[in-house]
Amino acid sequence: MVASTVVCVTSHEDDRRAWVNENFGMVGQLPVYRAMLDRGHAAGPQDTVVIGDETVVERQIRQLFDAGATELLAVTLGSEEEQARTTALLADLAG
């Protein structure tokens, strides 16, 4: 089972979640997505992304695999530095 999510290793979690909300918040207004968000107790797309420092992101990714994921399709988000941190963590976890 493939888990697909946005991933960002950052020290600016609130800023990145706000960006996701600004750019993808309208998704939460579509009935099919609203139903999925409600089932997951998420206010909007900003609550479905994997964002935080390395420790937080690793824990969230491990939770996806503990829930049954066998592969991860990660879309990186953030500044060049944040994307580099994210890519490095994902490579470490894959190795």
Side-chain angles (χ1 to χ4, degrees):
M1 179 167 78
V2 178
S4 177
T5 190
V6 172
V7 181
C8 180
V9 174
T10 183
S11 302
H12 307 286
E13 182 177 342
D14 291 339
D15 292 341
R16 295 301 167 249
R17 286 191 190 280
W19 186 90
V20 170
N21 185 47
E22 283 178 29
N23 290 277
F24 298 100
M26 76 293 269
V27 170
Q29 298 172 10
L30 299 171
V32 68
Y33 288 110
R34 181 75 259 156
M36 288 189 296
L37 292 168
D38 289 344
R39 279 193 300 275
H41 307 289
Q46 72 277 6
D47 295 332
T48 67
V49 294
V50 175
I51 295 179
D53 64 20
E54 284 83 356
T55 302
V56 169
V57 169
E58 180 177 351
R59 183 178 66 243
Q60 291 177 1
I61 289 172
R62 291 193 186 282
Q63 288 173 342
L64 292 171
F65 284 94
D66 290 346
T70 57
E71 295 183 52
L72 175 65
L73 174 60
V75 178
T76 61
L77 171 77
S79 67
E80 286 184 35
E81 177 191 349
E82 290 166 328
Q83 290 186 42
R85 287 173 66 189
T86 304
T87 300
L89 176 62
L90 293 171
D92 286 346
L93 293 175

